[in-house]
Amino acid sequence: MSTSKTPPEPGREQARHELKLAGALELAPALESTPVEIRDHYGHYIAGAWVEGAEEARFETLNPATGARLASVAAATEAEVDAAVSAARTAYEQVWSKLSGLERGKYLFRIARRLQERAREFAVLETIDNGKPIRETRDIDVPLAAAHFFYYAGWADKLGHAAAGRSVAPLGVAAQIIPWNFPLLMLAWKIAPALATGNTVVLKPAETTPLTAALFCEVLDAAGLPPGVVNIINGAGPTGARLVAHPGVDKVAFTGSTAVGRTIMQAIAGTQKRATMELGGKGANIVFADAALDQAVEGCVDGIFFNQGHVCCAGSRLLVEESIAEDFVARLQRRVQTLRVGDPLDKNTDIGAINSKQQHETIAGYLEIATREGATVWQGAACEPPAAGHYHLPTILTGVQQTDTVVREEIFGPVLSVLTFRTPDEAVRKANDTEYGLACGVWSEKSQKLFRTAHALDCGVVWANGYNLFDPTSPFGGVRHSGFGREGGVAGLWPYLREVSP
C-alpha cells in the first residue's frame, strides 16, 4: 500500500514553477459584483403568496465558501404541506387544466424570458448558495434552465404529436423534490414539462440550497402565473416525506440518492401515484488508445472536477487502455495542476466549494477508506484552497481494484478512480459492473468502436468523445439503481400525461 498527496519529483514542483512563470498563480481577483438581495427569513410560496412559516421549525442555510449564515428558512409543517397541495389542486381544477396549450405556453415563454433577463442575479445567488464556480452557474446552469422553459413552451400546444396521435390529459398535482447540486436547473427540468402538460406543482428544494427557488417565485409573479399553479415549500427529509405521502398528489418526481428513492417508492407503493426517479450514479469514462488523448483529458476533467463531482452522472471512474495508462494519467495530473481552487464568485476559479460540511466529511471519509484498501492518493491544483469554507482538492486514485469501496459507491466529490483494461470487452464488462446505470463516456477516433461500445453499455446516457453534454431536446435518465423515467426532450413530457378516450 502506498499513499501520496504529491506526484514524484520533479513533476509537481516543475509544473508549479512553469505555471508561476506564466503568471497563472498571480491572477488578479475577478469577483462577480452583481448585487443580489437575500432576505433574512424565508417561508413558503403557497397560492401565489409568501407564508411566513412556523418560527420553531426554522433552520439556517449557509454559504459553503465561507461558512457564513445566509438566511433563516422555515420547514413546512403538515398543515403547510396540506395548504400547498390544496392550492395546487384548486389551481389545477379551476384554472390551469382549463387553459389551452397555447395559453399555457405563453406563460412558459414569459418565465423563460424573465430568467434570461435576471440571469446574472440567478447565477450569483446559485453560486453563493451552492458553492459551484460562477463560470458554471453563469454559462451552464442558468442558460440551460431558461432553455428548458423555452423548449417546453413550444410543446404545450402540440401534446398530440408528443403522444403519437393518442388523446392525452394531465395527471393533476405533481410533487417534485430536487437536490442541492443543480438547484435551479433541476427546478426547470421538473416544473417546465409539468406546466406544459397542464399539471400544477408543489416543489421542495434541498434544505441547503433553497434560495434560487425563492427567487424564482419572483419570476412567477412577474410572468403573471395564476396563484397555486406552482407552490414551493421548504424543509428537509420529513417535509419531503409528508409531501410524497399526501393523498392529494398524483405524480412524484424525485432527483436524489438511491436510498431516498427506495424510501419514496415504498411510501407510494399500492397507490395510484405515478413516479419518475433520477437517482445515483457511478459514471465511467472509457478511453481507448486511439482516442484524441488531450481531448479525453479535458473530458475527464469536465466530468468530475469542474463540478466538484457534484453530479449524479459524474465520470468518477476512469477506464483507460493499459498501453496508454501511464502516459494518460500523467497528462491528467498535469492538467489538474493548472486548476484553481478558490472563491466560487471569482471568475478565475475552476473548482469551487463543497456544498456542506457534512458532504465534505463524507468525501474525506471515502479517501480514508481508499487508503486502507490500498489505493494511491494523488491530489493537486494550481493553488492552495482557502482556509475558510468547505474545499477539497481534485483527487486521483490509482492502484484501485474493481471491488474497492471507492469504485463501487457514489462519493459525490472531486475524486476519480483509475482502472485499466486491455480489450473493449473488458472495458464494457468493468463499466457495467456496478449497481448504477446513469451515464458513461467513450473516447475513440474510430466510429465503429464508439457505437459498438456505446450499445454494449448498460446505462441511460452515453456520450461519445465528450462528457456532461446537456440539451433540453435530449432525454436524460438512468436504469437499474440509477432510476427510471426521463427528463428532457419529448420523453420528458410522457411522465406527466395519461391516455384518455378520444
Side-chain angles (χ1 to χ4, degrees), residues 123-461:
V124 170
L125 186 59
E126 191 81 306
T127 290
I128 292 172
D129 201 22
N130 174 276
K132 61 175 62 179
I134 185 68
R135 292 194 307 178
E136 182 175 346
T137 58
R138 179 195 65 195
D139 299 342
I140 300 174
D141 293 33
V142 178
L144 264 179
H148 274 79
F149 278 101
F150 274 124
Y151 175 73
Y152 282 112
W155 269 114
D157 62 345
K158 305 174 184 68
L159 299 180
H161 298 283
R166 291 170 292 170
S167 296
V168 293
L171 298 176
V173 176
Q176 302 177 332
I177 300 175
I178 60 175
W180 49 261
N181 57 343
F182 285 90
L184 182 65
L185 183 55
M186 292 296 102
L187 175 151
W189 276 24
K190 287 178 168 50
I191 290 181
L195 297 192
T197 49
N199 298 274
T200 55
V201 168
V202 180
L203 180 137
K204 188 197 85 66
E207 65 271 23
T208 60
T209 54
L211 299 188
T212 46
L215 184 61
F216 181 74
C217 296
E218 296 183 15
V219 169
L220 299 179
D221 291 339
L225 193 73
V229 174
V230 172
N231 306 271
I232 294 179
I233 58 175
N234 290 301
T239 301
R242 293 188 191 105
L243 177 59
V244 166
H246 197 286
V249 166
D250 302 297
K251 163 79 169 71
V252 175
F254 172 74
T255 297
S257 71
T258 299
V260 175
R262 290 193 186 103
T263 301
I264 291 175
M265 292 305 297
Q266 291 169 357
I268 66 175
T271 71
Q272 298 298 312
K273 296 175 183 176
R274 305 278 188 91
T276 50
M277 298 279 152
E278 200 260 279
L279 308 177
K282 196 66 180 176
N285 253 317
I286 301 174
V287 180
F288 289 101
D290 55 25
L293 298 187
D294 288 335
Q295 180 184 349
V297 165
E298 288 301 314
C300 291
V301 170
D302 179 64
I304 187 67
F305 295 133
F306 280 158
N307 49 50
Q308 295 80 249
H310 290 168
V311 188
C312 48
C313 59
S316 55
R317 293 181 295 157
L318 168 61
L319 297 172
V320 58
E321 194 162 347
E322 190 175 282
S323 62
I324 61 164
E326 184 176 351
D327 175 43
F328 190 81
V329 171
R331 293 181 189 223
L332 183 59
Q333 289 175 339
R334 184 170 178 81
R335 177 68 177 96
V336 170
Q337 287 169 349
T338 69
L339 302 180
R340 299 182 62 85
V341 181
D343 185 348
L345 285 174
D346 191 331
K347 301 182 188 73
N348 299 316
T349 294
D350 297 304
I351 301 176
I354 303 300
N355 178 252
S356 66
K357 179 181 179 181
Q358 178 183 6
Q359 185 60 29
H360 190 264
E361 291 173 347
T362 297
I363 298 169
Y366 272 109
L367 292 191
E368 292 178 3
I369 294 172
T371 300
R372 290 199 304 269
E373 293 182 348
T376 298
V377 180
W378 183 95
Q379 295 181 319
C383 55
E384 296 299 324
H390 311 304
Y391 293 90
H392 197 287
L393 288 172
T395 303
I396 299 174
L397 303 178
T398 55
V400 297
Q401 305 299 319
Q402 193 73 12
T403 56
D404 285 359
T405 303
V406 291
V407 177
R408 311 299 303 179
E409 298 182 10
E410 185 179 36
I411 299 175
F412 230 63
V415 180
L416 177 65
S417 299
V418 180
L419 301 104
T420 62
F421 64 89
R422 293 183 179 179
T423 67
D425 288 343
E426 182 184 1
V428 169
R429 187 168 61 252
K430 286 186 174 181
N432 287 341
D433 184 18
T434 173
E435 67 176 297
Y436 300 107
L438 189 54
C440 286
V442 184
W443 301 84
S444 173
E445 292 291 271
K446 297 182 178 179
S447 299
Q448 185 180 31
K449 185 181 292 184
L450 285 174
F451 281 102
R452 183 185 300 123
T453 305
H455 284 291
L457 291 170
D458 190 11
C459 60
V461 178

